[in-house]
mmCIF file of all heavy atoms in Angstrom:
data_model
loop_
_atom_site.group_PDB
_atom_site.id
_atom_site.type_symbol
_atom_site.label_atom_id
_atom_site.label_comp_id
_atom_site.label_asym_id
_atom_site.label_seq_id
_atom_site.Cartn_x
_atom_site.Cartn_y
_atom_site.Cartn_z
ATOM 1 N N SER A 1 5.766 -0.008 25.291
ATOM 2 C CA SER A 1 7.214 0.156 25.169
ATOM 3 C C SER A 1 7.885 -1.102 25.710
ATOM 4 O O SER A 1 7.351 -1.800 26.569
ATOM 5 C CB SER A 1 7.696 1.385 25.942
ATOM 6 O OG SER A 1 7.460 1.219 27.325
ATOM 7 N N ILE A 2 9.068 -1.360 25.148
ATOM 8 C CA ILE A 2 9.885 -2.494 25.574
ATOM 9 C C ILE A 2 11.337 -2.143 25.231
ATOM 10 O O ILE A 2 11.588 -1.529 24.189
ATOM 11 C CB ILE A 2 9.445 -3.805 24.885
ATOM 12 C CG1 ILE A 2 10.165 -5.013 25.482
ATOM 13 C CG2 ILE A 2 9.616 -3.728 23.375
ATOM 14 C CD1 ILE A 2 9.598 -6.354 25.028
ATOM 15 N N PRO A 3 12.288 -2.477 26.064
ATOM 16 C CA PRO A 3 13.675 -2.115 25.762
ATOM 17 C C PRO A 3 14.327 -2.949 24.656
ATOM 18 O O PRO A 3 15.327 -2.530 24.071
ATOM 19 C CB PRO A 3 14.403 -2.310 27.091
ATOM 20 C CG PRO A 3 13.541 -3.194 27.911
ATOM 21 C CD PRO A 3 12.141 -3.006 27.426
ATOM 22 N N GLN A 4 13.765 -4.094 24.328
ATOM 23 C CA GLN A 4 14.368 -4.991 23.336
ATOM 24 C C GLN A 4 14.236 -4.420 21.920
ATOM 25 O O GLN A 4 13.151 -4.083 21.485
ATOM 26 C CB GLN A 4 13.683 -6.355 23.389
ATOM 27 C CG GLN A 4 14.239 -7.377 22.421
ATOM 28 C CD GLN A 4 15.679 -7.743 22.719
ATOM 29 O OE1 GLN A 4 16.042 -8.014 23.853
ATOM 30 N NE2 GLN A 4 16.507 -7.721 21.702
ATOM 31 N N LYS A 5 15.363 -4.337 21.198
ATOM 32 C CA LYS A 5 15.310 -3.882 19.797
ATOM 33 C C LYS A 5 14.928 -5.050 18.898
ATOM 34 O O LYS A 5 15.030 -6.213 19.278
ATOM 35 C CB LYS A 5 16.645 -3.287 19.370
ATOM 36 C CG LYS A 5 17.777 -4.280 19.246
ATOM 37 C CD LYS A 5 19.042 -3.578 18.792
ATOM 38 C CE LYS A 5 20.172 -4.586 18.631
ATOM 39 N NZ LYS A 5 21.381 -3.951 18.113
ATOM 40 N N SER A 6 14.505 -4.690 17.683
ATOM 41 C CA SER A 6 14.155 -5.738 16.712
ATOM 42 C C SER A 6 15.415 -6.189 15.978
ATOM 43 O O SER A 6 16.449 -5.528 16.023
ATOM 44 C CB SER A 6 13.127 -5.219 15.708
ATOM 45 O OG SER A 6 13.736 -4.354 14.772
ATOM 46 N N ASN A 7 15.297 -7.287 15.280
ATOM 47 C CA ASN A 7 16.374 -7.749 14.413
ATOM 48 C C ASN A 7 16.085 -7.238 13.014
ATOM 49 O O ASN A 7 14.938 -7.268 12.571
ATOM 50 C CB ASN A 7 16.446 -9.283 14.394
ATOM 51 C CG ASN A 7 16.896 -9.829 15.722
ATOM 52 O OD1 ASN A 7 17.846 -9.328 16.310
ATOM 53 N ND2 ASN A 7 16.211 -10.846 16.213
ATOM 54 N N ARG A 8 17.102 -6.773 12.323
ATOM 55 C CA ARG A 8 16.923 -6.292 10.950
ATOM 56 C C ARG A 8 17.334 -7.388 9.975
ATOM 57 O O ARG A 8 18.479 -7.791 9.928
ATOM 58 C CB ARG A 8 17.745 -5.027 10.715
ATOM 59 C CG ARG A 8 17.185 -3.860 11.474
ATOM 60 C CD ARG A 8 17.667 -2.541 10.921
ATOM 61 N NE ARG A 8 17.261 -1.500 11.843
ATOM 62 C CZ ARG A 8 18.090 -0.718 12.517
ATOM 63 N NH1 ARG A 8 19.384 -0.804 12.325
ATOM 64 N NH2 ARG A 8 17.625 0.182 13.344
ATOM 65 N N LYS A 9 16.336 -7.829 9.200
ATOM 66 C CA LYS A 9 16.561 -8.859 8.198
ATOM 67 C C LYS A 9 16.133 -8.383 6.813
ATOM 68 O O LYS A 9 16.134 -9.156 5.874
ATOM 69 C CB LYS A 9 15.785 -10.120 8.563
ATOM 70 C CG LYS A 9 16.165 -10.710 9.903
ATOM 71 C CD LYS A 9 15.258 -11.879 10.243
ATOM 72 C CE LYS A 9 15.461 -12.295 11.686
ATOM 73 N NZ LYS A 9 14.384 -13.136 12.169
ATOM 74 N N GLY A 10 15.713 -7.102 6.729
ATOM 75 C CA GLY A 10 15.269 -6.569 5.446
ATOM 76 C C GLY A 10 13.891 -7.044 5.041
ATOM 77 O O GLY A 10 13.538 -7.020 3.870
ATOM 78 N N ILE A 11 13.092 -7.468 6.024
ATOM 79 C CA ILE A 11 11.765 -8.007 5.739
ATOM 80 C C ILE A 11 10.704 -6.948 6.035
ATOM 81 O O ILE A 11 10.784 -6.237 7.028
ATOM 82 C CB ILE A 11 11.497 -9.264 6.585
ATOM 83 C CG1 ILE A 11 12.529 -10.339 6.253
ATOM 84 C CG2 ILE A 11 10.085 -9.784 6.373
ATOM 85 C CD1 ILE A 11 12.518 -11.523 7.195
ATOM 86 N N GLY A 12 9.718 -6.865 5.171
ATOM 87 C CA GLY A 12 8.596 -5.953 5.374
ATOM 88 C C GLY A 12 8.012 -5.512 4.054
ATOM 89 O O GLY A 12 8.709 -5.503 3.033
ATOM 90 N N GLU A 13 6.731 -5.168 4.066
ATOM 91 C CA GLU A 13 6.030 -4.737 2.863
ATOM 92 C C GLU A 13 5.601 -3.286 3.012
ATOM 93 O O GLU A 13 5.060 -2.899 4.045
ATOM 94 C CB GLU A 13 4.790 -5.590 2.640
ATOM 95 C CG GLU A 13 5.060 -7.074 2.482
ATOM 96 C CD GLU A 13 3.765 -7.856 2.470
ATOM 97 O OE1 GLU A 13 3.210 -8.044 1.365
ATOM 98 O OE2 GLU A 13 3.313 -8.236 3.559
ATOM 99 N N VAL A 14 5.815 -2.504 1.956
ATOM 100 C CA VAL A 14 5.469 -1.083 1.953
ATOM 101 C C VAL A 14 4.268 -0.863 1.046
ATOM 102 O O VAL A 14 4.101 -1.550 0.036
ATOM 103 C CB VAL A 14 6.681 -0.244 1.469
ATOM 104 C CG1 VAL A 14 6.333 1.230 1.387
ATOM 105 C CG2 VAL A 14 7.875 -0.468 2.389
ATOM 106 N N ASP A 15 3.431 0.121 1.409
ATOM 107 C CA ASP A 15 2.256 0.502 0.611
ATOM 108 C C ASP A 15 1.263 -0.642 0.435
ATOM 109 O O ASP A 15 0.705 -0.840 -0.644
ATOM 110 C CB ASP A 15 2.672 1.067 -0.754
ATOM 111 C CG ASP A 15 3.389 2.396 -0.636
ATOM 112 O OD1 ASP A 15 3.105 3.159 0.315
ATOM 113 O OD2 ASP A 15 4.235 2.687 -1.499
ATOM 114 N N VAL A 16 1.021 -1.394 1.504
ATOM 115 C CA VAL A 16 0.006 -2.450 1.491
ATOM 116 C C VAL A 16 -1.139 -2.026 2.415
ATOM 117 O O VAL A 16 -0.941 -1.243 3.344
ATOM 118 C CB VAL A 16 0.580 -3.814 1.947
ATOM 119 C CG1 VAL A 16 1.627 -4.316 0.964
ATOM 120 C CG2 VAL A 16 1.160 -3.744 3.354
ATOM 121 N N ALA A 17 -2.327 -2.538 2.148
ATOM 122 C CA ALA A 17 -3.471 -2.263 3.013
ATOM 123 C C ALA A 17 -3.245 -2.946 4.362
ATOM 124 O O ALA A 17 -2.826 -4.102 4.418
ATOM 125 C CB ALA A 17 -4.755 -2.762 2.371
ATOM 126 N N LEU A 18 -3.508 -2.199 5.435
ATOM 127 C CA LEU A 18 -3.357 -2.722 6.789
ATOM 128 C C LEU A 18 -4.725 -2.819 7.433
ATOM 129 O O LEU A 18 -5.611 -2.012 7.148
ATOM 130 C CB LEU A 18 -2.482 -1.785 7.631
ATOM 131 C CG LEU A 18 -1.121 -1.403 7.070
ATOM 132 C CD1 LEU A 18 -0.421 -0.435 8.026
ATOM 133 C CD2 LEU A 18 -0.272 -2.638 6.821
ATOM 134 N N TYR A 19 -4.895 -3.783 8.327
ATOM 135 C CA TYR A 19 -6.139 -3.899 9.078
ATOM 136 C C TYR A 19 -5.806 -4.157 10.532
ATOM 137 O O TYR A 19 -5.220 -5.190 10.881
ATOM 138 C CB TYR A 19 -7.017 -5.033 8.543
ATOM 139 C CG TYR A 19 -8.326 -5.123 9.303
ATOM 140 C CD1 TYR A 19 -9.388 -4.284 8.990
ATOM 141 C CD2 TYR A 19 -8.472 -6.012 10.357
ATOM 142 C CE1 TYR A 19 -10.574 -4.328 9.709
ATOM 143 C CE2 TYR A 19 -9.655 -6.074 11.084
ATOM 144 C CZ TYR A 19 -10.700 -5.229 10.753
ATOM 145 O OH TYR A 19 -11.873 -5.259 11.478
ATOM 146 N N PHE A 20 -6.123 -3.183 11.376
ATOM 147 C CA PHE A 20 -6.032 -3.354 12.826
ATOM 148 C C PHE A 20 -6.907 -2.291 13.468
ATOM 149 O O PHE A 20 -7.297 -1.321 12.832
ATOM 150 C CB PHE A 20 -4.583 -3.313 13.346
ATOM 151 C CG PHE A 20 -3.831 -2.048 13.065
ATOM 152 C CD1 PHE A 20 -3.959 -0.936 13.894
ATOM 153 C CD2 PHE A 20 -2.958 -1.962 11.993
ATOM 154 C CE1 PHE A 20 -3.251 0.231 13.646
ATOM 155 C CE2 PHE A 20 -2.242 -0.808 11.737
ATOM 156 C CZ PHE A 20 -2.388 0.292 12.568
ATOM 157 N N GLY A 21 -7.249 -2.499 14.711
ATOM 158 C CA GLY A 21 -8.105 -1.542 15.403
ATOM 159 C C GLY A 21 -9.483 -1.401 14.776
ATOM 160 O O GLY A 21 -10.150 -0.384 14.925
ATOM 161 N N GLY A 22 -9.908 -2.439 14.032
ATOM 162 C CA GLY A 22 -11.231 -2.432 13.441
ATOM 163 C C GLY A 22 -11.372 -1.632 12.155
ATOM 164 O O GLY A 22 -12.478 -1.450 11.663
ATOM 165 N N ILE A 23 -10.257 -1.135 11.618
ATOM 166 C CA ILE A 23 -10.319 -0.343 10.383
ATOM 167 C C ILE A 23 -9.247 -0.787 9.391
ATOM 168 O O ILE A 23 -8.260 -1.415 9.764
ATOM 169 C CB ILE A 23 -10.182 1.178 10.644
ATOM 170 C CG1 ILE A 23 -8.793 1.537 11.174
ATOM 171 C CG2 ILE A 23 -11.269 1.664 11.599
ATOM 172 C CD1 ILE A 23 -8.544 3.037 11.277
ATOM 173 N N THR A 24 -9.474 -0.427 8.133
ATOM 174 C CA THR A 24 -8.488 -0.653 7.078
ATOM 175 C C THR A 24 -7.798 0.670 6.790
ATOM 176 O O THR A 24 -8.458 1.708 6.659
ATOM 177 C CB THR A 24 -9.171 -1.171 5.797
ATOM 178 O OG1 THR A 24 -9.803 -2.421 6.103
ATOM 179 C CG2 THR A 24 -8.162 -1.387 4.679
ATOM 180 N N ILE A 25 -6.478 0.642 6.715
ATOM 181 C CA ILE A 25 -5.678 1.841 6.451
ATOM 182 C C ILE A 25 -4.812 1.560 5.236
ATOM 183 O O ILE A 25 -4.143 0.530 5.162
ATOM 184 C CB ILE A 25 -4.780 2.184 7.664
ATOM 185 C CG1 ILE A 25 -5.616 2.305 8.938
ATOM 186 C CG2 ILE A 25 -3.993 3.469 7.399
ATOM 187 C CD1 ILE A 25 -4.804 2.375 10.213
ATOM 188 N N GLN A 26 -4.813 2.516 4.285
ATOM 189 C CA GLN A 26 -4.030 2.360 3.065
ATOM 190 C C GLN A 26 -3.141 3.572 2.845
ATOM 191 O O GLN A 26 -3.473 4.682 3.274
ATOM 192 C CB GLN A 26 -4.965 2.198 1.867
ATOM 193 C CG GLN A 26 -5.849 0.979 1.962
ATOM 194 C CD GLN A 26 -6.733 0.825 0.750
ATOM 195 O OE1 GLN A 26 -6.308 1.052 -0.367
ATOM 196 N NE2 GLN A 26 -7.974 0.429 0.975
ATOM 197 N N SER A 27 -2.030 3.366 2.158
ATOM 198 C CA SER A 27 -1.196 4.500 1.761
ATOM 199 C C SER A 27 -2.080 5.445 0.951
ATOM 200 O O SER A 27 -2.886 5.005 0.130
ATOM 201 C CB SER A 27 -0.010 4.036 0.909
ATOM 202 O OG SER A 27 0.939 3.376 1.714
ATOM 203 N N GLY A 28 -1.919 6.738 1.201
ATOM 204 C CA GLY A 28 -2.723 7.749 0.524
ATOM 205 C C GLY A 28 -3.899 8.231 1.348
ATOM 206 O O GLY A 28 -4.446 9.302 1.092
ATOM 207 N N ASP A 29 -4.321 7.448 2.366
ATOM 208 C CA ASP A 29 -5.357 7.915 3.283
ATOM 209 C C ASP A 29 -4.796 9.070 4.101
ATOM 210 O O ASP A 29 -3.582 9.350 4.061
ATOM 211 C CB ASP A 29 -5.777 6.797 4.245
ATOM 212 C CG ASP A 29 -6.594 5.689 3.601
ATOM 213 O OD1 ASP A 29 -7.053 5.868 2.455
ATOM 214 O OD2 ASP A 29 -6.766 4.638 4.252
ATOM 215 N N TYR A 30 -5.651 9.713 4.883
ATOM 216 C CA TYR A 30 -5.224 10.782 5.781
ATOM 217 C C TYR A 30 -5.547 10.372 7.208
ATOM 218 O O TYR A 30 -6.681 9.996 7.510
ATOM 219 C CB TYR A 30 -5.904 12.107 5.436
ATOM 220 C CG TYR A 30 -5.374 12.674 4.151
ATOM 221 C CD1 TYR A 30 -5.900 12.305 2.928
ATOM 222 C CD2 TYR A 30 -4.292 13.548 4.164
ATOM 223 C CE1 TYR A 30 -5.385 12.794 1.740
ATOM 224 C CE2 TYR A 30 -3.769 14.042 2.983
ATOM 225 C CZ TYR A 30 -4.322 13.660 1.774
ATOM 226 O OH TYR A 30 -3.793 14.149 0.604
ATOM 227 N N LEU A 31 -4.545 10.414 8.065
ATOM 228 C CA LEU A 31 -4.693 10.031 9.462
ATOM 229 C C LEU A 31 -4.582 11.270 10.331
ATOM 230 O O LEU A 31 -3.746 12.146 10.083
ATOM 231 C CB LEU A 31 -3.602 9.025 9.843
ATOM 232 C CG LEU A 31 -3.636 8.502 11.274
ATOM 233 C CD1 LEU A 31 -3.260 7.023 11.295
ATOM 234 C CD2 LEU A 31 -2.722 9.286 12.198
ATOM 235 N N TYR A 32 -5.432 11.328 11.370
ATOM 236 C CA TYR A 32 -5.420 12.422 12.328
ATOM 237 C C TYR A 32 -5.435 11.806 13.723
ATOM 238 O O TYR A 32 -6.264 10.939 14.008
ATOM 239 C CB TYR A 32 -6.651 13.315 12.133
ATOM 240 C CG TYR A 32 -6.741 13.856 10.729
ATOM 241 C CD1 TYR A 32 -7.465 13.197 9.746
ATOM 242 C CD2 TYR A 32 -6.044 15.010 10.380
ATOM 243 C CE1 TYR A 32 -7.515 13.678 8.450
ATOM 244 C CE2 TYR A 32 -6.087 15.498 9.078
ATOM 245 C CZ TYR A 32 -6.828 14.825 8.117
ATOM 246 O OH TYR A 32 -6.864 15.307 6.833
ATOM 247 N N ALA A 33 -4.515 12.224 14.578
ATOM 248 C CA ALA A 33 -4.402 11.650 15.914
ATOM 249 C C ALA A 33 -4.231 12.747 16.954
ATOM 250 O O ALA A 33 -3.575 13.763 16.706
ATOM 251 C CB ALA A 33 -3.202 10.696 15.973
ATOM 252 N N ASP A 34 -4.846 12.528 18.089
ATOM 253 C CA ASP A 34 -4.641 13.398 19.246
ATOM 254 C C ASP A 34 -4.905 12.549 20.488
ATOM 255 O O ASP A 34 -4.998 11.323 20.397
ATOM 256 C CB ASP A 34 -5.516 14.665 19.182
ATOM 257 C CG ASP A 34 -7.014 14.402 19.192
ATOM 258 O OD1 ASP A 34 -7.439 13.253 19.474
ATOM 259 O OD2 ASP A 34 -7.770 15.351 18.926
#
């Protein structure tokens, strides 16, 4: 957490493959967290 807000410039990509935490995550996958 951090108190600083982000700046909104309308930048970002939706429905793209992501890679972090050693795994690839794609829209349409199923995520489970606890």
Side-chain angles (χ1 to χ4, degrees):
S1 64
I2 188 169
Q4 181 64 47
K5 69 179 182 176
S6 75
N7 292 315
R8 290 199 189 117
K9 300 175 191 164
I11 299 170
E13 301 172 90
V14 177
D15 293 330
V16 295
L18 307 178
Y19 182 82
F20 60 83
I23 66 173
T24 299
I25 306 169
Q26 299 182 40
S27 287
D29 288 348
Y30 289 86
L31 181 142
Y32 303 93
D34 62 12

